Amino acid sequence: MSIASQATDRVIIFDTTLRDGEQSPGATLNAEEKLAIAHQLALLGVDVIEAGFAVSSPGDFQAVKTIAEQVGKADGPIICSLARATRKDIQAAAEALQPAAHPRIHTMISTSDIHLQYQLKKSRSEVLAIAQEMVAYAKSFVDDVEFSPMDASRTDPEFLYQVLETAIASGATTINIPDTVGYCTPKEIGILIQGIRENVPHIDSVILSIHTQNDLGLATANALAAIEHGVRQVECTINGIGERAGNAALEEIVMALQVRKHYFNPYFGRSVNSDVPLTNIKTQEIYKTSSLVSQLTGMLIQPNKAIVGANAFAHESGIHQDGIIKHRQTYEIMEAASIGLPENRIVLGKHSGRNAFRTRLKELGFELSEADLNKAFNRFKEVADKKKEISDWDIEALVRDETQNQVESGFQLEHVQVICGDCTCPTATITVVTPDGKILTDASVGTGPVDAVYQAINHLVQIPNQLIEFSVQSVTGGIDALGTVTIRLAYQDRIFSGQASDTDIVVAAAYAHLNALNRLYRYLQTQKIPAQVSE
Ligand SMILES: CC(=O)SCCNC(=O)CCNC(=O)[C@H](O)C(C)(C)COP(=O)(O)OP(=O)(O)OC[C@H]1O[C@@H](n2cnc3c(N)ncnc32)[C@H](O)[C@@H]1OP(=O)(O)O
Ligand SMILES: CC(C)C(=O)C(=O)O
Ligand SMILES: [Mg+2]
């Protein structure tokens, strides 16, 4: 059964974290990281995973193929690849998607005059012919074909209707309307969708989809407005990452549909009070997915980010706290538990044992192997010696450090020591173990302690790189808080990120730098470029 005939009584969640999300400057993911995110997206319950743009690089082709093989099972989500409206792109998408039980080719071509004139240098009639031919070509490989008229919101409506009619006649099963440059307001999106529904023959035989960008901060509002006007698929990303200012955030769309279901129900022909969810998303997996994506892309989440920001469920002011204590709903429209953040029932500290630690991890959604659990527990005890109370945020940072942040092969940090002060030249002494087991030590001076650490590690590891971003985020409040350091390094035209947490931010910086360098080291290995190690 095609998806068009399945699901118009709910919203199909099309996740494009691994395609548009990965277009966020600096958020490049390798195939292994993409696979880890795809597995988590499947657990989250997304209907479609846009796994990449197969033709764009051999690495992305492989990532789409591996996700198709390992996540695109019969009972799993649809796996999709983007393709320009060219034979080469469509062939690459079809080949990479071959192992998927439910493959989808998403082909697109610009339709606005500004894109036609300056980018494609083609006439309207040429674009119309290309759309017709390429949708039919995609259809020769798979049943499920999505078509996007790029820059739809700035396209002459009459021409847009014509292109969409042609795409449907050629076999498209989903028609996606992109507000490519994030230009529309919610009211305009409503008018655009209504116009399409009223003027495109057979539009009701396909799934109508919306793709919003966040240039004016309106991506979520625009997507919700489109839903009110009959759209039944939303394209979105975890944490709203994506090209420029990003895309509509999955967690915002899903929680808006969940928390305000009584408002949205009538748009789905349901009775106002129906409690049947409007998406298939397991909302309790949202927080974990958000953390994983932030971790692997190196894109930090702003504390006041809706749904998943550190402050989203925090109450600071007395009047609010008083209200919450008396009756939670005075200042909360949803519970932290609904996105997978449990209430803090057991206080963990230096006297806690493995059982309490394991139980808390389970509640936070982490299932660790015995070996990973032991590593994380040892780190927990070290931190508990320095910090009075360990919060869920601390535990999560530690576990991510011990499991997701560690790049298996590469250099290991053995020792870091820093001397600094107002009358001293900041000096770092670093010891690392090389991939082939040599123990190397070096000392360097820098403009500050972090710079000294950076110089000393670079001197030992000898991999050319440029530090383009260094940021520190406090995991919780207080003087004894864990700090998470994010580092981004550039090597030629590629960017590699690393993250680490510690109560000492200089130590966290050393680990984060080495984690980023290890990603770069592995990349050099795949390119067969030798890394020189100082003797
Ligand atoms: C709105 C969006 O998010 S669209 C998706 C954007 N994502 C990306 O671009 C990421 C991946 N992209 C890439 O890796 C590369 O751009 C590639 C592999 C796709 C193409 O690389 P190149 O062949 O070197 O082309 P380049 O990127 O310089 O220019 C794009 C070309 O595609 C053409 N093009 C753009 N969109 C389309 C389309 N939908 N259908 C057909 N051709 C298109 C452009 O006109 C240009 O052609 P030209 O070189 O004849 O002028
Ligand atoms: C490829 C399309 C859907 C896109 O990302 C956009 O137009 O923003
Ligand atoms: Mg986009």
Side-chain angles (χ1 to χ4, degrees), residues 99-145:
H102 311 289
R104 172 181 296 186
I105 295 176
H106 176 191
T107 189
M108 46 104 183
I109 189 152
S110 293
T111 48
S112 65
D113 287 337
I114 187 170
H115 280 212
L116 264 58
Q117 184 179 349
Y118 296 105
Q119 189 176 19
L120 297 181
K121 299 183 176 27
K122 295 202 186 305
S123 65
R124 286 187 179 185
S125 56
E126 283 172 305
V127 165
L128 201 57
I130 293 172
Q132 179 174 32
E133 192 186 335
M134 291 304 130
V135 170
Y137 186 56
K139 195 78 179 175
S140 70
F141 294 102
V142 294
D143 284 341
D144 189 350
V145 174

Side-chain angles (χ1 to χ4, degrees), residues 351-366:
H351 300 113
S352 304
R354 261 190 189 69
N355 198 3
F357 185 65
R358 187 189 290 110
T359 308
R360 176 49 113 232
L361 286 182
K362 246 196 186 144
E363 287 168 353
L364 288 168
F366 292 102

Side-chain angles (χ1 to χ4, degrees), residues 172-440:
T173 40
T174 296
I175 291 291
N176 177 48
I177 307 300
D179 181 26
T180 302
V181 289
Y183 183 70
C184 277
T185 65
K187 195 169 173 190
E188 287 169 327
I189 284 281
I191 294 167
L192 175 66
I193 299 298
Q194 198 167 330
I196 290 169
R197 293 193 68 198
E198 284 169 4
N199 292 288
V200 178
H202 309 297
I203 192 74
D204 288 338
S205 67
V206 298
I207 292 287
L208 191 53
S209 167
I210 188 80
H211 178 110
T212 51
Q213 299 286 154
N214 206 29
D215 298 67
L216 294 174
L218 293 171
T220 298
N222 282 343
L224 293 173
I227 290 171
E228 290 178 15
H229 285 84
V231 149
R232 289 297 171 262
Q233 173 179 284
V234 170
E235 303 201 349
C236 45
T237 61
I238 301 295
N239 302 335
I241 63 171
E243 187 84 32
R244 303 182 308 277
N247 290 66
L250 179 147
E251 63 277 8
E252 293 173 14
I253 307 278
V254 167
M255 292 313 288
L257 291 170
Q258 164 82 7
V259 171
R260 300 302 312 278
K261 56 181 173 287
H262 295 172
Y263 168 81
F264 285 102
N265 275 337
Y267 294 106
F268 291 78
R270 300 178 179 192
S271 72
V272 172
N273 292 324
S274 166
D275 281 323
V276 179
L278 288 166
T279 71
N280 278 346
I281 296 296
K282 295 174 190 69
T283 61
Q284 293 81 353
E285 292 289 331
I286 284 179
Y287 181 71
K288 198 172 157 204
T289 317
S290 159
S291 303
L292 180 68
V293 169
S294 169
Q295 190 69 26
L296 294 181
T297 57
M299 303 272 294
L300 297 177
I301 301 168
Q302 70 194 59
N304 60 329
K305 164 84 183 64
I307 318 294
V308 291
N311 294 350
F313 294 94
H315 301 278
E316 165 71 19
S317 57
I319 293 173
H320 289 219
Q321 288 170 341
D322 169 64
I324 289 281
I325 291 164
K326 288 174 177 156
H327 184 73
R328 201 184 189 102
Q329 283 159 354
T330 49
Y331 288 96
E332 263 185 16
I333 60 167
M334 59 193 141
E335 289 184 15
S338 66
I339 63 150
L341 273 173
E343 300 294 321
N344 207 344
R345 271 166 274 121
I346 303 170
V347 177
L348 289 175
K350 68 186 274 192
H351 300 113
S352 304
R354 261 190 189 69
N355 198 3
F357 185 65
R358 187 189 290 110
T359 308
R360 176 49 113 232
L361 286 182
K362 246 196 186 144
E363 287 168 353
L364 288 168
F366 292 102
E367 295 277 356
L368 300 192
S369 68
E370 211 46 36
D372 280 345
L373 180 84
N374 282 337
K375 276 196 280 174
F377 184 68
N378 291 341
R379 276 294 302 284
F380 159 73
K381 280 286 187 180
E382 280 169 25
V383 174
D385 268 339
K386 300 181 198 157
K387 209 171 177 298
K388 264 204 309 256
E389 219 178 81
I390 312 283
S391 72
D392 286 347
W393 307 94
D394 294 326
I395 292 172
E396 219 191 291
L398 292 179
V399 170
R400 281 197 260 115
D401 246 22
E402 288 305 320
T403 53
Q404 295 152 14
N405 276 343
Q406 304 296 331
V407 181
E408 292 279 295
S409 58
F411 298 85
Q412 302 299 325
L413 186 68
E414 187 74 4
H415 176 72
V416 50
Q417 189 189 347
V418 173
I419 302 169
C420 59
D422 60 351
C423 303
T424 332
C425 191
T427 310
T429 306
I430 301 281
T431 303
V432 297
V433 184
T434 67
D436 51 2
K438 279 194 215 125
I439 299 176
L440 304 175

